[in-house]
Structure formats: structure tokens, C-alpha cells
Amino acid sequence: MFDSLSASLQKVFKNLRGYGRLSEKNIQEALREVRLALLEADVNFRVVKDFIAQVREKALGRAVLDSVTPGQQVIRVVHDELVNLLGGEPAGFTLAPSPAVILMLGLHGAGKTTTCGKLALKWKQEGKRVLLAACDIRRPAAVDQLRILAEQTGVEIVTPQPGESVPGIAKRAAAEAARRKADVLILDTGGRFQIDDELVEEVREVHREIRPANTILVLDAATGQEAVNVAQAFHDRVGLTGLVLTKLDGDARGGAVLSVRHVTGCPVILAGTGEKMDRLEPFYPERMASRILGMGDVLSLVEKAQQQVDAGEMKAMEERLRKNTFSLDDFLSQIQQLKKMGPLGDLLEMMPGGGQIPADVKQQMAASSGDGLKVTEAIIRSMTPKEREHPEIISASRRRRIAAGSGTRVQDVNELLKRFEGAKKMARTLKKSQKRLLRFGK
């Protein structure tokens, strides 16, 4: 996401860093480029106008012009204003008192029902009792889709009874949630291809009956300014407490993300970055601003690692490295841990400077890494347990057998064993360096 915007902004900032001193003319020229970059990214023109005015006011202050690193100071001003534009502090759901009702709204195709399932999984994993309610009685198979998601996530569901109205389903679901002592009730309401009076009135009636603590609109970020218009219309006519932006992984421009908070005043709570059930992330304005400016998002990367990587397994692996008993099974385990953290392209974006990698290069790297991981896994699984434990016994004839068994070439087997030895050598070098530093510290 934000590939084109990140590339444009980083080009502007590269020029700024080249100046030993900044003048008002330099700053005005840079802000003109920032303005064009934002407009090309499909950011609302009113938002761009206000944003540039705020940055100009602060960037032309004496503290910036007299600074020893004026270019960096301007970048800091832009970063801080981006954080403000995106909402400042991260927002969340109101989950007390129980059962907390989440009224989910959205147009067809925005990913509303899938988001309901993702939320159910998220809260169930946190130890909460979740109840889903299928209130979309118009879209074919909507109830079946939610029922399947409920089964996949292991939560309970309330489905429509014959002739029951949408407000009636919602009211019955609220009573069921209280009876079952649920912590959270998620209402999946109907959508349309566009906002109409019938849809709005249906939602407003549900809202009057249930009085939900959270009224959440699910928006397709890839629709750009249309997403902002939809959010504004729903907020004006129903009243929203938060937004969920989906399909951020398919939106290279990012205009909706930068516009919707400013235009509606509603915070973005979550961001959907893929179709898998675990691809729903908290929205952190400061982290998002850093990613847009190519500074990376190390905190999110660390959190992903903590969630997906087994600490006990990593400790045991470190011990095997120390004793030089690290095997190809351990190597395969590391690869599988990496796969759990998500697509390589997403991980690259979280690393400082990752935003500077061209989009086509990132796509190639992600594709090749995915294929490469499959090849590596196939080769290792074609080895005997003894070969995986003692790769030094893998002779030329064994390599031919492994290649045939994994559907690869002997060169691929050779390359894997070379990479494995390189990883072991690097680990030993790091350990030796660590010991020397400890001795030096004493």
C-alpha cells in the first residue's frame, strides 16, 4: 500500500536533505511537490489544502529554518502532521458493559461479512465469548456465508426465522447475547451497491432498537474518494463511532486512508490487509505515517514476530546453535515461522527503507520467496531423518535421489545445503562476537 505516494514523498525529502540550509523558496517548492503527490494519491483536495497549510505554517518557523538539519526538521513536521491527519491516537471498540453490541455497516463488496468473521476470531482468541447475528436477509447466501465463518472461528450464531424483519433479528440476537452471557454481539447488516433511503432507514431502525455501543462502517479502501463519500453519508445519516478499512493491500495510492478521518471525524480502528482470517490489524496513526514516509514500522514487525514465533522453540533452537547441533529440521522450522508472519512484501514495508523498494521489485521478491520456500520445504522433506540431522553425509548419489524425490534439480539441493551452511556459519560468528563483547565489558 502507499507505494506511489511513498516513492513521491521520499524523492522530495531526498532533495531536502541535500540542502545545507533551507530558504522559504526551498520549502515552498518542496511543499508544492508534496501537494502534487497527495493529489495523485487520490487524497481529498480539501484535506490536501488543510494539510499543506498546517505543514507550511510550522515548516516556515524559525526553529526549522535555523536548524542544523533543516531537511530532517521539515520531514519531522510532515510526519507529525500526517499522524494528526490519520487521527493522532489509536482508537478502539467500546466493549463494556457486556454484551457489547457491534453494529456493522457497509456496501456490497466492501468485505463486511468477512470482517465480522475476522473480528469474531480476534475476540475469541482473546478469551471473549462472541455471538454473531445474521441480519442481512437480502443478499443471496449472506446468511450461509456468516454461518460458515461462525463454524470456522468456533463462535455461536443467530440466524433469521421465517418472515422475521431485520430489526426483529437484531432484537432477538441482543436477548440471546444477554441470555448466553456473551461478551460481544456482532450484527452483520445488509448492504447495497450504493446508499439508498431504504438501507439507511433499516439501519436507523436497528440502531433505535438496539442502541449499539459501536456503529462501525466497513469501507473498501481501493475505491478511493468514493469510500470517503460513503463514510460521510453514513456518518451524517446514522452516526458512526469508527471505521474499518479493507483491501489496503490492494490500494497502492492510499488516498482513502488519508482522507476519511479528516472528512468524517471518525477514527479508523482496524485495517484489513488480506483475505485470510488473521489479516486484520489495529490501525496506529503514528506507525502508518512512518510507513508512508519510508521510515518503516518496526514495532508492528516485532509484534508480528512475538505473536507468530514460538519463544520456547526459538530458545531451544538457539541452544542447538550454541552446541553446533542445528539441523535441517531446525532450518525448516525457521522457514515455517517466517511464513506465519505473512507475505514478504508486507514485512519489507515494515522495515526502514522498505518503502523505497520499487513495487515491481517487491512483487518479484515476494513471488520468488514464496516459490523458494516451497522448494526448500520440498527438498528437506525428501531427505531421510538421518540426512536432515547430519547433512554432511549427503553424497552425490543422495543428492540425485533427493532432487528426484522433491521434483527439483541437483543444483537446487546443492544451493539449499550451501545456504544452510552459510546460516550456521553466520550464527557461530554472531555468537563469537557476542562473547568477545561480553569479555570486553568485564
Side-chain angles (χ1 to χ4, degrees), residues 239-316:
L240 304 173
T241 60
L243 307 165
V244 174
L245 286 173
T246 62
K247 306 180 189 178
L248 278 185
D249 53 322
D251 182 22
R253 296 186 298 175
V257 181
L258 290 169
S259 303
V260 72
R261 173 66 172 84
H262 185 83
V263 172
T264 65
C266 286
V268 178
I269 299 176
L270 296 168
T273 56
E275 293 181 5
K276 291 183 179 179
M277 294 299 286
D278 61 347
R279 303 305 304 280
L280 191 66
E281 301 174 0
F283 187 85
Y284 296 101
E286 184 162 7
R287 299 184 193 183
M288 190 62 73
S290 295
R291 287 171 75 171
I292 292 169
L293 298 180
M295 299 173 183
D297 182 3
V298 178
L299 279 175
S300 292
L301 188 60
V302 170
E303 285 172 3
K304 271 183 176 287
Q306 288 173 336
Q307 289 167 6
Q308 301 297 342
V309 176
D310 187 292
E313 189 175 333
M314 289 304 292
K315 190 174 180 182

Side-chain angles (χ1 to χ4, degrees), residues 49-89:
K49 183 181 176 183
D50 293 346
F51 178 80
I52 294 297
Q54 291 291 330
V55 174
R56 180 184 289 113
E57 182 183 341
K58 293 178 181 177
L60 289 176
R62 302 318 309 175
V64 170
L65 292 175
D66 295 340
S67 169
V68 239
T69 56
Q72 294 287 2
Q73 290 289 84
V74 173
I75 295 167
R76 172 51 59 184
V77 170
V78 173
H79 174 272
D80 291 346
E81 287 306 313
L82 270 178
V83 174
N84 290 334
L85 184 63
L86 291 166
E89 293 297 319

Side-chain angles (χ1 to χ4, degrees), residues 45 93 95 130 193 201 217 230 236 322 332 334 346 356 374 409:
F45 75 94
F93 294 88
L95 296 181
V130 183
F193 287 109
E201 188 50 44
L217 178 65
V230 168
D236 289 345
R322 189 177 65 79
L332 178 60
Q334 281 191 332
D346 290 359
Q356 297 177 34
K374 288 176 186 175
R409 304 169 303 166

